[in-house]
């Protein structure tokens, strides 16, 4: 095992990332507060889970890290774990890149890029990078199709109903382009997950590699 692998498999590092991602998830849901309230007032309630894309991605990743430390037993537990890992990687890569792209696209067309935007650039870049780093420690390939279907369904709901994340006003005339970019990014993120992901590593392999308590 390489020194880098040992570093990222160290329980202290994993717990640090769990805390950082959990706090980021909370902040993300607060960030979406106004849009969630608007959606609740103007759309059916069942659409609410489709609104906060990035914090849900970081929530999946947080849970995936927890399940690295405490892997569930049995077939059902393993399948749930693999699905969460697949969703964590695909959505973290996708929405990490998507958010940064939208900020820079808006800035290119004249929107002011504030310090909060730069903070989001750093945090969302981190989302994508950490997901690709940990993809090789996960075992999710057989659940990847389900994760892709869910993410594409989210895209369809967002742009057919109009509950996609609020964009800079400069992009209001580019919604079709944003939609196409979003769907393409889902497919590219799935491809990246497949390339970076473990081929078929079972949960006990992680334990043998130093994940014991």
């Amino acid at each position: 095992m390489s020194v880098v692998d040992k570093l990222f498999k160290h329980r202290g590092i994993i717990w640090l990332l769990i805390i950082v991602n959990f706090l980021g998830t909370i902040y993300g849901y607060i960030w979406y507060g106004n849009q969630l309230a608007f959606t609740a007032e103007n759309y059916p309630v069942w659409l609410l889970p489709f609104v906060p894309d990035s914090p849900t991605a970081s929530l999946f990743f947080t849970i995936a890290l927890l399940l690295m430390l405490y892997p569930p037993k049995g077939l059902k537990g393993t399948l749930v774990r693999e699905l969460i890992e697949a969703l964590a990687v695909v959505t973290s890569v996708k929405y990490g890149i998507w958010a940064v792209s939208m900020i820079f696209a808006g800035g290119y067309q004249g929107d002011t890029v504030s310090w909060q935007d730069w903070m989001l650039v750093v945090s969302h870049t981190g989302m994508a990078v950490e997901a690709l780093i940990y993809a090789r420690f996960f075992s999710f390939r057989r659940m990847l199709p389900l994760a892709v279907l869910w993410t594409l369904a989210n895209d369809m709901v967002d742009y057919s109903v109009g509950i996609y994340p609020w964009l800079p006003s400069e992009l209001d005339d580019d919604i079709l382009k944003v939609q196409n970019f979003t769907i393409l990014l889902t497919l590219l993120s799935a491809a990246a997950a497949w390339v970076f992901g473990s081929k078929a590593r079972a949960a006990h392999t992680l334990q043998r590699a130093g994940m014991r308590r």
Side-chain angles (χ1 to χ4, degrees), residues 34-177:
N34 290 335
Q35 186 172 356
L36 284 167
F38 177 84
T39 303
E41 292 176 2
N42 296 276
Y43 294 90
V45 176
W46 66 269
L47 290 173
L48 287 176
F50 293 96
V51 174
D53 295 330
S54 293
T56 301
S58 62
L59 178 61
F60 284 139
F61 190 75
T62 302
I63 297 173
L65 291 178
L66 278 171
L67 295 179
M68 259 186 92
L69 296 177
Y70 306 102
K73 298 179 180 179
L75 179 59
K76 288 184 179 180
T78 299
L79 291 176
V80 169
R81 174 188 175 180
E82 291 178 1
L83 179 58
I84 291 174
E85 289 174 347
L87 287 167
V89 175
V90 172
T91 60
S92 293
V93 172
K94 174 193 173 173
Y95 292 117
I97 297 173
W98 187 92
V100 174
S101 300
M102 293 304 105
I103 290 171
F104 287 151
Y108 179 76
Q109 296 196 31
D111 186 37
T112 300
V113 180
S114 66
W115 67 268
Q116 288 179 314
D117 292 321
W118 284 110
M119 178 188 69
L120 291 174
V121 167
V122 172
S123 62
H124 283 76
T125 300
M127 280 177 58
V129 171
E130 68 181 2
L132 292 177
I133 289 174
Y134 277 88
R136 69 181 184 273
F137 304 139
F138 295 156
S139 302
F140 58 80
R141 278 192 169 185
R142 60 180 166 180
M143 301 303 284
L144 188 57
L146 283 180
V148 174
L149 287 175
W150 161 260
T151 311
L152 286 173
N154 197 353
D155 295 341
M156 295 300 105
V157 171
D158 277 358
Y159 292 94
S160 63
V161 180
I163 59 168
Y164 50 82
W166 287 345
L167 298 166
S169 58
E170 287 77 7
L171 299 180
D172 285 345
D173 57 347
D174 295 313
I175 298 303
L176 182 58
K177 293 179 181 178

Side-chain angles (χ1 to χ4, degrees), residues 1-14 134 136-137 209-211:
M1 186 191 309
S2 69
V3 175
V4 174
D5 282 359
K6 288 182 179 179
L7 174 65
F8 286 113
K9 287 184 179 180
H10 191 281
R11 295 182 70 86
I13 296 297
I14 294 174
Y134 277 88
R136 69 181 184 273
F137 304 139
M211 293 303 301

